[in-house]
Amino acid sequence: MTKKWTGVFPAVTTKMTQDGNVDLTATQSSIDRLIKAGVSGVIVLPMLGENASLTLAERESVIHAASEVTKGKVPLLSGLAETNLSAAKANAKLYETVGAQGLMVFPSLGYKTDDRETAEWYKGIASASSLPIMIYNNPITYGVDVTPAVLKQLVDTPEIVCVKEETGDIRRVTDTYIELGDRFSVFCGVDDLIVESSSLGVTGWVSGMTNVWPAECVEIFNLCAQEKFAEARKLYHILTPSFHLDTHVKLVQYIKLAENLVYGAPEWTRAPRMPLVGPEREHVVTTVNAAITALDRRDRKAA
């Protein structure tokens, strides 16, 4: 179906104007920055991209705008988050027509499916288009766990090629490989578990904070892929406090603020999300500025 996905695939934030409209120009600029920094793929409309807050027309426009930037240089995936199978299948077809080259598929947002229903959900969506699929497995947030037992039911569905592992249980990576071998690519989906996951053999990383520090995140991943873990840990220790921001319920606001601090991208989100204020904002600013200072010190030392 597709060349095996590997490397760093940032979950791209959808840039907004202060009044809550989608800013396609700023979104395209951020994607261009990511590609120039060496990422291996791009995922638009993830949860971090405020997928559920956008209209269908807006989602189409984001995918199309992203495809104008990627131009086949890296795979362009789109998040697919729906409440029912009919809409999911229809939009899988639609997203393919506007430029998506793969899908990162959420479980049903309207109902916590059991194992049999979960497998049928993914099989149904896979049948709707020719696009390869990454399963978005985040039971902490969505209450549905695509376990190795569920994946076993999907072995004969060739469109399903990858799973984004976000259970927070590091043992799941090994359990998946033991049960299924290399049938599915396994991507780390938690920023503050990437070195640990890499030591267990993940082939890629869906990352939120890569929006902020793409070159550094690519460096961490590549060092781990070369099993240079001692070197990777030095950079990981600098960035892990910021990576923790990726695991909070307000990760969208946190990461957009971090982008603003590092390279001036708009921090605005769409309601009901609101700009950060008070001690919470101060915590993000302090955490990110500490990493900026430490990275600058590291770079000056290496020069």
Side-chain angles (χ1 to χ4, degrees), residues 59-202:
R59 283 180 259 149
E60 286 184 67
S61 71
V62 169
I63 298 168
H64 180 69
S67 71
E68 291 181 338
V69 180
T70 58
K71 296 178 180 177
K73 289 177 281 191
V74 298
L76 171 62
L77 280 63
S78 173
L80 179 66
E82 302 294 341
T83 59
N84 66 79
L85 185 58
S86 177
K89 292 172 72 171
N91 288 338
K93 294 177 184 177
L94 175 63
Y95 293 176
E96 184 175 19
T97 67
V98 293
Q101 297 170 309
L103 300 171
M104 183 176 74
V105 181
F106 293 59
S108 169
L109 301 186
Y111 168 67
K112 294 181 181 179
T113 51
D114 66 21
D115 285 3
R116 180 173 62 93
E117 292 167 328
T118 299
E120 289 303 312
W121 169 262
Y122 284 105
K123 287 178 183 178
I125 295 169
S127 72
S129 80
S130 65
L131 295 179
I133 288 173
M134 173 189 293
I135 290 174
Y136 181 9
N137 188 39
N138 184 350
I140 296 171
T141 300
Y142 298 105
V144 175
D145 191 358
V146 185
T147 64
V150 175
L151 289 173
K152 200 168 185 178
Q153 299 178 57
L154 301 172
V155 165
D156 295 329
T157 305
E159 295 84 359
I160 300 175
V161 299
C162 183
V163 57
K164 176 193 177 189
E165 167 46 40
E166 201 169 345
T167 61
D169 181 356
I170 194 64
R171 296 168 294 189
R172 179 60 67 83
V173 174
T174 300
D175 288 342
T176 299
Y177 284 133
I178 289 171
E179 185 67 28
L180 297 152
D182 62 357
R183 166 60 182 84
F184 301 101
S185 296
V186 180
F187 272 39
C188 173
V190 186
D191 281 357
D192 56 9
L193 280 177
I194 182 55
V195 172
E196 297 86 339
S197 299
S198 293
S199 71
L200 300 175
V202 296

Side-chain angles (χ1 to χ4, degrees), residues 235-255:
L235 183 50
Y236 194 42
H237 289 173
I238 292 173
L239 292 180
T240 289
S242 296
F243 286 175
H244 290 329
L245 301 175
D246 180 64
T247 65
H248 191 276
V249 68
K250 290 189 180 179
L251 79 163
V252 178
Q253 293 97 310
Y254 287 4
I255 292 175

Side-chain angles (χ1 to χ4, degrees), residues 32-82:
D32 182 62
R33 174 176 175 265
L34 293 168
I35 293 171
K36 287 177 178 175
V39 302
S40 298
V42 168
I43 305 174
V44 296
L45 303 176
M47 186 274 281
L48 184 57
E50 298 174 77
N51 187 318
S53 300
L54 273 59
T55 67
L56 180 57
E58 287 173 328
R59 283 180 259 149
E60 286 184 67
S61 71
V62 169
I63 298 168
H64 180 69
S67 71
E68 291 181 338
V69 180
T70 58
K71 296 178 180 177
K73 289 177 281 191
V74 298
L76 171 62
L77 280 63
S78 173
L80 179 66
E82 302 294 341

